[in-house]
């Protein structure tokens, strides 16, 4: 690997700052986490988006959340075909090895992946429709939900609605994994659908009784 | 989606606390991030492990890092076969849409995924060898590197070494993506290989001249 | 005291969140509690165990319960020998100064202190038998009850039974305090024996007529 | 134990409410805590006072804090004399068995125990001076600190100052336990001195460099 470069200096400086302060003050906890292993209460599936930080929103301590982040917080359906499935591997590890009690899917406003999906569904993003587009093929997971939002009056309303459909799609697909389904049925695992508004700092939770996301 | 449940109460309370403090104090920045979109300087690929928080280590602000997290911070090779590839989609989005300047791969000590791979290579984890094991199939990406660590004296040394090989494997595979390769060649994009020791808070950076990870 | 360290940052953030929400919304009640003093209706004696929260189980408001927590929710017998007796001091203050109406002793399943006592009685915990073991000497309070559970078929049954004997021991010892005995006799003070099952969320109350703990 | 009474009805009702809501939503986590045991990050030593709730202030989840509560959050000095020492037993269990990373001592304003100590030191509380007074003998732990506050202008200032001296006394006495001292020296255990103002919801942390408690 001859292409690797040194770390940008500003990151190096910040690392040394963290080491001398936050790490130093909590070294026994980090030591313990290393020696005894992690035991997170929940797995969170959220977006790669740089504006979404589930540990901040929920004041999480190191060791609390097992976090998978991908484009648009999507979980593909159960496909045990022997190929590489990063998201499915993360879910499998959290549920069957770590035995987390909660599985949170956290969607968010202004999601670029969801917007791309919407554009693609409207025929406005031919670059995402080619076979070679990884983003396009990834957003195919969400595409069938376009019908549910197509009649909304404008693009903004459609985006917000499709972002929430992404969360519901992931929850539905999670239930297609046998090890998730059986633990949900037995009460060992709880599924939770969340959506956060970046600009407003709002949080909505899906309520199956009402069939909609409600502000907390 | 009838299986979703309400949020645990302690998380609700913490959320309201975050909203009233951290969010309130930075509301204009969050507003701006929502209105103008994200513009992260770097993408980070790190592990789902609950003990690894790249935003803490590097004191990152909201909006700074586009973060993909999967088991063992692995990037699979370029395979534009039309299937769902979550990691490849995240890389494509970061490099071609967000045009990040840096791509950091951050490995870590005590990685459960890497340990599983090692066990599998030694024949000690038959459950990971079945076709249906998503974790097993995901760790296949790293398996060829077993030869490089097999002669090390003990399990601990082999794990630490294989964790670092995971980082190098990801960097090598990143170079197999045409859009990465050309931007690295032109100098638009820098690749960085990192490894952190959870218990010690240490950080090592891969130095291609020396062919090894060096403590910063 | 040169050894004190700053508070971990995640606790600081959570504190600020609490201050801005729960505290802010109830500021007049806290002000009143500070100005007029506490007036709790009941004292609760429960275990230090991190999984037992009497305020959650009983939806208690700030100011409702005067709570003493020690290993295995034990009350030692009345010994006015001039030494430091933290539990007896707490009982004395609750009964004679605050004049609480109820005294609840709350035991629980999976109690590490009770398990230690059982191990010690069986000769399996020599480290608890040395004079210097504070846990061992504290569990001596419960030791005489081993005879009552020794014939039960297995360790689990013995632990559950000894946990309940710990509650009864505390109630018996409470009656050895003259100021408790006279108020119980006059009807001013009610004693209550409780035991909760952590995993099942169950609650049992001691029924003197039946001579056993009954699920509520 | 013939004196035990049924649970007051309002508590019974609240328990059933908790069971049907909070417990039901988190049953898998409680199940896990029961099956795998507790692994708290910190021990907290706070007062029995009904107005002090460390889990609220710090948004703590079930399983996070091992909590000992006694009058005035006092730790007596190390005295391995074979007698019952409830506080010392709790500290021993937290540090040597649970191996917590942090030990927080949390004092508070309007502390009745500290006020009693002050009254006793001024000769205004003869009832606390008799050998039989458990509260008096317990507060003897703090008595030597009276000299440090005696010159303050009024009772209120003296109370606030003595409440903070109680925290420092506990921290000093904690260091007299060999198993605490050695873990503090090695960095495995961090000590923290805190004081909260009930009416204002304030929090102060002891800063050894400044030799005083500072608002966070």
């Amino acid at each position: 690997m001859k292409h690797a470069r040194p770390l940008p200096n500003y990151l190096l400086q910040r690392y040394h700052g963290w080491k001398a302060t936050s790490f130093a003050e909590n070294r026994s906890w980090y030591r313990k986490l290393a020696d005894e292993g992690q035991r997170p209460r929940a797995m969170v599936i959220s977006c790669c988006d740089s504006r979404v930080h589930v540990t901040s929103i929920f004041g999480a301590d190191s060791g609390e959340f097992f976090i998978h982040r991908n484009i648009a917080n999507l979980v593909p359906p159960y496909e045990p075909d022997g190929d590489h499935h990063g998201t499915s591997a993360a879910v499998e590890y959290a549920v069957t090895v770590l035995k987390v009690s909660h599985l949170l899917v956290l969607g968010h406003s202004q999601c670029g992946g969801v917007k791309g999906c919407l554009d693609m569904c409207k025929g406005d993003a031919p670059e995402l429709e080619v076979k070679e587009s990884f983003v396009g093929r990834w957003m195919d997971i969400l595409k069938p939900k376009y019908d549910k939002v197509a009649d909304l009056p404008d693009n903004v309303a459609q985006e917000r609605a499709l972002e929430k459909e992404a969360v519901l799609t992931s929850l539905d697909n999670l239930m297609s994994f046998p090890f998730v389904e059986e633990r949900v049925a037995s009460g060992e695992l709880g599924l939770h659908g969340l959506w956060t508004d970046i600009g407003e700092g709002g949080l909505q939770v899906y309520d199956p009784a009402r069939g909609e996301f409600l502000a907390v």
Side-chain angles (χ1 to χ4, degrees), chain A residues 185-198:
Chain A
S186 73
E188 285 168 85
L189 181 66
L191 302 186
H192 308 267
L194 311 174
W195 177 87
T196 181
D197 182 300
I198 288 173

Side-chain angles (χ1 to χ4, degrees), chain A residues 136-212:
Chain A
R137 301 298 61 70
W138 183 248
M139 296 312 303
D140 282 347
I141 299 170
L142 180 59
K143 244 174 130 178
K145 295 296 181 73
Y146 175 62
D147 286 351
K148 295 207 166 193
V149 309
D151 292 340
L152 287 172
D154 57 58
N155 270 357
V156 172
Q158 290 178 359
E159 283 176 35
R160 295 302 85 80
L162 198 56
E163 286 156 5
K164 292 172 184 175
E165 289 299 332
V167 174
L168 297 177
T169 298
S170 292
L171 293 177
D172 279 331
N173 286 345
L174 280 169
M175 288 297 286
S176 70
F177 288 72
F179 48 81
V180 171
E181 194 276 336
E182 75 193 24
R183 282 170 176 84
V184 168
S186 73
E188 285 168 85
L189 181 66
L191 302 186
H192 308 267
L194 311 174
W195 177 87
T196 181
D197 182 300
I198 288 173
E200 297 301 319
L203 183 69
Q204 298 187 6
V205 178
Y206 183 71
D207 178 347
R210 300 278 295 270
E212 57 182 325

Side-chain angles (χ1 to χ4, degrees), chain A residues 5 9 35 41 47 66 100 126 133 145 150-151 155 161 167 175:
Chain A
R5 311 297 307 268
N9 201 48
D35 292 344
R41 175 166 178 175
C47 187
F66 184 81
V100 296
S133 167
K145 295 296 181 73
D151 292 340
N155 270 357
V167 174
M175 288 297 286

Side-chain angles (χ1 to χ4, degrees), chain A residues 71-72 74-77 113 116-118 120-121 128-146 169 173:
Chain A
I71 300 280
L74 285 173
V75 177
C117 182
L118 199 65
M120 183 167 59
C121 291
L128 294 179
E129 296 194 49
V130 299
K131 184 182 161 197
E132 291 75 14
S133 167
F134 293 112
V135 174
R137 301 298 61 70
W138 183 248
M139 296 312 303
D140 282 347
I141 299 170
L142 180 59
K143 244 174 130 178
K145 295 296 181 73
Y146 175 62
T169 298
N173 286 345

Side-chain angles (χ1 to χ4, degrees), chain A residues 16-80:
Chain A
H16 287 300
W18 169 82
K19 181 81 188 293
T21 55
S22 291
F23 178 78
E25 294 305 337
N26 299 286
R27 72 160 50 237
S28 64
W29 178 239
Y30 285 98
R31 183 73 267 157
K32 203 174 154 88
L33 283 175
D35 292 344
E36 301 183 6
Q38 60 178 328
R39 204 173 82 175
R41 175 166 178 175
M43 175 184 189
V44 180
I45 296 168
S46 81
C47 187
C48 301
D49 194 298
S50 63
R51 300 165 295 181
V52 178
H53 285 293
V54 72
T55 48
S56 301
I57 291 178
F58 290 127
D61 186 13
S62 191
E64 270 198 272
F65 291 152
F66 184 81
I67 303 174
H68 174 59
R69 295 177 69 168
N70 65 31
I71 300 280
N73 36 270
L74 285 173
V75 177
Y78 180 68
E79 285 179 295

